[in-house]
Amino acid sequence: MSKKNKFLIFRTDRIGDFLTTAILIKSIKRNNINSHITVIASQNNFTYIDSFHTVDEVILLKSSIFNRLKILLKLRKFFFDHVIVHDNKNRSILISFFLKNDNKILLENHSQKNHIDIIKFILSSLNYNFNETDLNILDNRKNFFSNLKFHRYLVLHFDEKWIKNSYIKSYKSIEPTKYQLITFLNKLHDLIKLPIVVTTGIKTPKLLGEVIKNINHNNISFLENLNFFEIETIISKSAFLISCHGFVSHVAAANNIKQVDIIDRSYNYERWNKHFRNYISIYREPFDQLIEKIFNKI
């Protein structure tokens, strides 16, 4: 029987970032089924990480100095076989220096590598191996949304990344007009011959709200006010995803679902998407040019 190693993993950023760490965690559990994994999480991803059965314990790290000191004192009561600072954050590195452990893995010299190679480096340091099945991090997940009327469908995830100046202002604008978006949805349906489910997050972009009021199509549905769990389920059961890169892209990749990912030229996305399967990326362009690229890729 393999030794029950105790792992402490820092992932104090966002949900999409954690989904790369979920690959690492699945690899560790496959190599050592008796491993015990504690994840230090942020307020942005704590609840989501806590829903994974591969994670044995989740500890919330808040932004206050008092909370960080409290967490440090708590962690110093325990011994960890391995401490992995997977988020490469200064706060996580600092805390890790004061912990009792046999093996600390820092990634300062690997920060520009793609994330799958970083995971393979960590596994090699542990004398563990990587397997392609480790990418299937969303197997056997709970169904968080049951109100879908379609069984096979395309998801267009329309969030703030589509709206000019509402995300990263230096990104090239892809914001459509109301008429352009309605026309695109109708043409897209005619092309793919599948129902379309348009999803968005907790806050519906104003433009999308206007489209919802002005489109009447039996095979185009709009789902608003969704949390991360609901979006995960909807995408996991879909046949195709069109979105701007983010948490949803990782969900599609984990489920080996075909996707068109809209990215900006200013950033090296290969760090995040090299391990993506069934994946097509296109660069952000004005909407009339963008939709032609999408149609050509489908």
Side-chain angles (χ1 to χ4, degrees), residues 154-159 161-162 174 184 199 231 235 240-252 258-264 269 276 279-282 284 290 294:
L154 176 147
V155 171
L156 174 69
H157 187 67
F158 196 94
D159 58 7
K161 298 184 184 77
W162 293 80
I174 61 171
F184 169 62
T199 59
I231 292 172
I235 292 173
F240 203 121
L241 171 69
I242 299 173
S243 70
C244 299
H245 188 89
F247 155 75
V248 293
S249 312
H250 291 272
V251 171
K258 187 174 182 179
Q259 64 172 302
V260 171
D261 191 17
I262 302 166
I263 61 178
D264 196 77
Y269 286 88
F276 282 10
Y279 178 78
I280 301 168
S281 64
I282 58 176
R284 294 170 70 100
L290 182 70
I294 293 173

Side-chain angles (χ1 to χ4, degrees), residues 88 106-113:
N88 204 32
L106 304 178
L107 302 172
E108 296 164 298
N109 296 327
H110 301 268
S111 60
Q112 298 307 311
K113 291 184 178 180

Side-chain angles (χ1 to χ4, degrees), residues 152-180:
R152 181 174 168 77
Y153 54 90
L154 176 147
V155 171
L156 174 69
H157 187 67
F158 196 94
D159 58 7
E160 75 281 356
K161 298 184 184 77
W162 293 80
I163 307 301
K164 184 178 180 180
N165 293 333
S166 68
Y167 185 55
I168 298 176
K169 293 184 179 181
S170 61
Y171 277 13
K172 182 169 285 190
S173 173
I174 61 171
E175 182 175 358
T177 65
K178 179 178 71 175
Y179 172 77
Q180 284 177 321

Side-chain angles (χ1 to χ4, degrees), residues 43 58 79 86 122 148-149 152 170 192 227 240 249 269:
Q43 290 177 304
V58 189
F79 178 86
H86 201 197
I122 295 171
L148 284 171
K149 64 180 182 179
R152 181 174 168 77
S170 61
I192 63 171
N227 60 42
F240 203 121
S249 312
Y269 286 88

